Amino acid sequence: MSGLRVLKPGPQSVLQDAGRRGWQHLGVSPAGPMDWQAAAWANHLLNNPWGTPLLEIALGGVELQAEVDTWVAVCGAQVPLSLDGQPLPLWTRLPLRKGQQLRLGFAHSGQRAYLAVAGGFHAEPVLGSVSVQLREGQGRALQAVDVLACGQAHFSHAASVPWPYLPDYRSKPLLRVITGGDAASFAQEQLHDFFAQTWQLSPHSDRMGARLIGEPLRPPERQWSLGVGRGAIQVPPDGQPIILQADHQTMGGYPLLGWLHPLDQGRLAQCPAHHPLRFTPVSIGDAQTELREFYRFFRRI
């Protein structure tokens, strides 16, 4: 099948879908997009179902040539987007004709852009998912020899995400945390210090975890491991918290302070190294209500 031929793959561009669900009990990480909201909007603009395979592009620097007439949408990081040298808007459904070249420059703000195509990209699934998980050797990053298989598509007109929903990745985010896990075992002043200070995102962060840099916390002792999920906030012995990301491990033994609000995980994924981060508590009920609204809008429930 024809599709989009890769001329330049960028630093790290990987296919992602809804993730590899139902395998964590066997030690398999779920993977999936780092920024669920940007990925969901890209698919939504093209009337693709939830979790349709798309391309996650770290930092930019991608060039593609169309071998088929289709439509695309690019959401997420503020990358210069052009078609045959002519600038195009992000967060918009756009036509792409056979022979045309689509270019994504390097991001001015944000870290990850999501390129969706009408009908989604076609790839052979592994354990029910096409999501690439480099750490576990499930798939690989895009290379200049690749063709992203996709079919023809047609829309009658362009469409864009309404401006109130467009994020500003240059702002200093206030990220919401559901306290729990081992939070009751932390000294009260330690919880206060976590929320009171401004942290920085470590340059050693990746798709597995976001490492924070700040005044160290004093975690309680933990003698056992338990299952962990995305957004879990671990506090290792050095006192510098780690927020688990899309490629997280399935078991962990560090004490858990709580979980990052699911709808704030994407905002964290768009922060560059050394970006300042602040946190504030949120109730599990409020987080569940907002997450249900998000899923309803994007037709997951």
Side-chain angles (χ1 to χ4, degrees), residues 9 12-14 55-62 104 111-115:
Q12 187 181 94
S13 303
V14 291
L55 189 65
E56 179 181 275
I57 298 168
L59 300 178
V62 170
L104 288 78
Q111 297 290 287
R112 295 170 173 88
Y114 293 86
L115 169 64

Side-chain angles (χ1 to χ4, degrees), residues 214-254:
E215 189 64 31
L217 303 178
R218 293 192 302 275
E221 292 186 2
R222 167 79 80 72
Q223 301 297 326
W224 60 89
S225 295
L226 47 73
V228 291
R230 184 169 180 186
I233 303 174
Q234 297 181 315
V235 184
D238 67 2
Q240 305 291 353
I242 302 169
I243 304 177
L244 300 186
Q245 297 279 56
D247 290 354
H248 63 83
Q249 75 277 21
T250 60
M251 297 286 291
Y254 296 142

Side-chain angles (χ1 to χ4, degrees), residues 52-182:
T52 296
L54 44 57
L55 189 65
E56 179 181 275
I57 298 168
L59 300 178
V62 170
E63 293 186 18
L64 306 167
Q65 183 167 15
E67 297 182 346
V68 64
D69 291 345
T70 187
W71 285 63
V72 298
V74 178
C75 299
Q78 191 69 27
V79 296
L81 181 66
S82 63
L83 184 63
D84 289 343
Q86 298 301 309
L88 293 175
L90 300 172
W91 303 85
T92 300
R93 180 175 72 206
L94 300 162
L96 182 62
R97 302 299 178 226
K98 183 177 180 179
Q100 291 184 315
Q101 290 189 11
L102 187 71
R103 182 180 186 275
L104 288 78
F106 286 97
H108 298 155
S109 66
Q111 297 290 287
R112 295 170 173 88
Y114 293 86
L115 169 64
V117 64
F121 293 113
H122 308 304
E124 189 68 28
V126 176
L127 299 179
S129 171
V130 305
S131 287
V132 172
Q133 218 281 27
L134 298 175
R135 182 172 56 88
E136 295 179 358
Q138 294 165 352
R140 59 170 175 79
L142 213 62
Q143 298 179 5
V145 298
D146 293 334
V147 174
L148 294 165
C150 62
Q152 291 187 348
H154 176 73
F155 288 90
S156 61
H157 60 276
S160 299
V161 175
W163 70 265
Y165 297 99
L166 300 180
D168 179 6
Y169 297 133
R170 294 167 297 184
S171 64
K172 299 178 182 179
L174 182 62
L175 304 176
R176 296 164 292 177
V177 170
I178 306 163
T179 56
D182 301 299

Side-chain angles (χ1 to χ4, degrees), residues 188-197 199 215-218:
Q188 193 62 36
E189 63 269 18
Q190 294 300 299
L191 292 177
H192 175 271
D193 289 347
F194 174 78
F195 289 108
Q197 69 172 295
W199 299 86
E215 189 64 31
L217 303 178
R218 293 192 302 275

